[in-house]
Amino acid sequence: MRCIKCRAPANVEVRRHRSAFCAGCYPDWFRTQVQRTIDDDRMFSRDDRVLVAISGGKDSLALWHALLRLGYQADGMYIRLGIGEYSERSQAKSEAFAAKHGLRLHQVDLAADHGFTIPQMRNQREGKPCAACGTVKRYHFNKVAVDLGYSVVATGHNLDDEAATLFGNVLHWQTDFLGRQGPVLESTHSNLARKVKPLYRLAERDSAAYAIIERIDYIVEECPMAVGAKSLAYKDTLNALEETQPGLKYQFLVGFLRQGRKAVKTEDPVQIRECAKCGQPTTAEVCAYCRMVERRLKKLPSLASPLGGEGGEGQQQ
Amino acid sequence: MGDVKVTILPRRETREVEAADVGHLLRSLGLHQDAYIVIRDDVILTRDVRLQSGDQIEVWPVISGGS
Ligand code: SF4
Ligand SMILES: [Zn+2]
Ligand SMILES: [Zn+2]
């Protein structure tokens, strides 16, 4: 296989585009795709201050790297989730990346600042804390962005993530989620940051190849809590189909965004107000994050002390 | 066609596999092309690259899970 730009031996094939690139030409192709996505979906401009949600994985670090190369003002934010060695290693990778490139990385430490860790938030039925983890991430990324005046939060969600989410929402006919799934979530309240996904048209493999070629040192291992996650089964199924139908994931997702979403979009304007406890935007009296933390702390009265938080009263927001 | 030495990340499990090219290698390991990157001597390989007996190959997973 040869590079479609310079005819040198190719390193990265992008089957859905029927293209292949050498390691020299690939990073430019990747960044051009990111730029096009940002422009086509009017995500942000070079005047905006962007807060990139960093996990230490390939997607978030590749995104941060690409945004800086494209000339955007992008700072990072990392949440210390307290998932054992995995968290320690991903934190180290995130900090090392920021230090190497002289970048600003904001951090929230759940155990020290809020008195709990993600493994303690396991759902009793599923045994997984992923739903809680999602709530925690949305809450803190939004809060830091609003408090520090960033105009937009960018996450590293890629084509595989978005196609798997769509697949799951279709399988279960989650029409309310379907109506809200998209690469741009507009702000509907002054305390709610805009959220964008500049990698949503690039496959997971594309961002890994970018990270490897650009020598970005990311955490290759998986979060231990992800074992057995439904999203992994959906990705596997979609990748099995993609083997013989290259481009299927892209068509599925982009086809939905262009055509399907209209059909399910619920236009009832949800009333956003401020959480009675913390002031963050919510549709309820008390926000999902505050309710979750309260529920857990009731069940785990001695939660804060072994973590080095405030003895017995981990509820500080 | 001889055996290539394969190391699968992140746990670095090792296998010896008979495979003529990269596509064949992934198929014999039962892995999807979109879920892995194959590297030899620090260089990423496309699926048509021919493999030689004794090649040291790294297979990197690219899929992450969770919410
Ligand atoms: S796998 Fe679950 S717990 Fe781990 S980071 Fe992802 S959402 Fe959080
Ligand atoms: Zn080239
Ligand atoms: Zn609240």
Side-chain angles (χ1 to χ4, degrees):
Chain A
M1 231 174 271
R2 303 228 151 234
C3 173
I4 62 159
K5 300 262 180 211
C6 74
R7 311 303 304 158
N11 298 101
V12 186
E13 182 186 15
V14 184
R15 289 169 74 223
R16 68 180 184 284
H17 282 246
R18 292 203 192 85
S19 341
F21 304 90
C22 71
C25 295
Y26 180 76
D28 269 331
W29 174 80
F30 182 91
R31 286 189 288 264
T32 304
Q33 299 304 306
V34 174
Q35 182 69 70
R36 267 192 209 150
T37 305
I38 293 169
D39 294 344
D40 289 353
D41 286 276
R42 297 202 181 84
M43 290 184 169
F44 46 79
S45 75
R46 285 180 177 71
D47 296 329
D48 285 311
R49 289 174 64 229
V50 182
L51 184 67
V52 186
I54 299 297
S55 69
K58 62 188 187 313
D59 300 299
S60 58
L61 292 180
L63 172 61
W64 201 5
H65 186 280
L67 290 180
L68 294 160
R69 286 294 176 85
L70 290 167
Y72 290 99
Q73 311 175 50
D75 293 341
M77 171 166 162
Y78 177 85
I79 304 179
R80 298 184 189 175
L81 300 170
I83 309 175
E85 286 180 21
Y86 166 77
S87 280
E88 284 163 27
R89 279 198 285 272
S90 64
Q91 182 190 331
K93 301 274 185 199
S94 306
E95 288 173 349
F97 181 89
K100 179 176 170 190
H101 298 275
L103 304 170
R104 191 151 169 216
L105 180 68
H106 304 286
Q107 295 203 38
V108 167
D109 185 334
L110 290 185
D113 306 341
H114 302 279
F116 70 92
T117 64
I118 289 299
Q120 292 166 324
M121 306 307 244
R122 270 178 236 255
N123 172 304
Q124 237 103 66
R125 220 165 359 103
E126 296 176 341
K128 289 202 171 298
C130 296
C133 189
T135 302
V136 164
K137 287 174 185 166
R138 275 190 296 278
Y139 182 89
H140 286 293
F141 286 132
N142 183 70
K143 188 169 187 328
V144 168
V146 170
D147 289 353
L148 301 181
Y150 288 92
S151 29
V152 61
V153 175
T155 58
H157 291 96
N158 57 47
L159 173 59
D160 295 66
D161 295 324
E162 294 298 290
T165 300
L166 175 60
F167 192 51
N169 286 340
V170 167
L171 286 179
H172 300 287
W173 289 117
Q174 301 268 24
T175 45
D176 44 339
F177 289 150
L178 282 170
R180 271 181 270 137
Q181 187 177 348
V184 178
L185 286 177
E186 294 297 346
S187 164
T188 49
H189 186 278
S190 56
N191 281 352
L192 195 61
R194 272 180 103 228
K195 289 188 202 78
V196 299
K197 302 169 182 169
L199 302 185
Y200 83 98
R201 298 199 289 208
L202 286 153
E204 197 138 23
R205 193 176 188 279
D206 303 337
S207 64
Y210 181 80
I212 292 168
I213 291 171
E214 287 288 14
R215 306 209 170 272
I216 296 169
D217 184 17
Y218 66 91
I219 183 158
V220 179
E221 80 198 68
E222 186 54 68
C223 171
M225 305 289 155
V227 177
K230 280 191 210 121
S231 61
L232 286 176
Y234 297 153
K235 284 182 177 180
D236 195 52
T237 302
L238 291 169
N239 278 337
L241 295 167
E242 186 91 14
E243 283 285 304
T244 50
Q245 301 174 67
L248 185 82
K249 284 182 288 195
Y250 185 87
Q251 286 160 26
F252 179 51
L253 179 67
V254 173
F256 165 74
L257 294 174
R258 289 199 186 131
Q259 304 157 40
R261 193 163 54 152
K262 286 194 278 279
V264 285
K265 200 153 191 177
T266 42
E267 285 301 344
D268 54 332
V270 274
Q271 277 297 322
I272 304 279
R273 49 177 159 164
E274 285 164 27
C275 168
K277 292 208 152 232
C278 72
Q280 286 291 291
T282 174
T283 51
E285 162 94 21
V286 174
C287 77
Y289 178 86
C290 288
R291 275 180 281 143
M292 178 191 84
V293 170
E294 215 167 299
R295 228 173 17 237
R296 281 293 141 175
L297 292 179
K298 255 184 228 147
K299 283 193 191 135
L300 298 161
S302 60
L303 181 76
S305 31
L307 295 166
E310 315 291 325
E313 43 143 291
Q315 286 193 51
Q316 13 136 19
Q317 291 286 319
Chain B
M1 184 165 87
D3 280 0
V4 296
K5 294 187 172 53
V6 185
T7 305
I8 304 174
L9 273 65
R11 286 202 224 120
R12 308 204 67 89
E13 312 144 38
T14 53
R15 298 272 296 270
E16 299 214 351
V17 184
E18 213 176 85
D21 61 34
V22 169
H24 185 186
L25 173 78
L26 288 175
R27 274 194 303 281
S28 43
L29 292 169
L31 306 176
H32 295 139
Q33 301 174 54
D34 256 29
Y36 293 87
I37 286 180
V38 176
I39 297 180
R40 180 179 61 195
D41 300 332
D42 256 355
V43 175
I44 300 179
L45 307 179
T46 50
R47 70 193 145 100
D48 59 328
V49 171
R50 301 201 61 80
L51 300 174
Q52 315 267 317
S53 166
D55 274 357
Q56 309 260 4
I57 302 292
E58 276 188 356
V59 175
W60 291 46
V62 304
I63 302 299
S64 33
S67 69

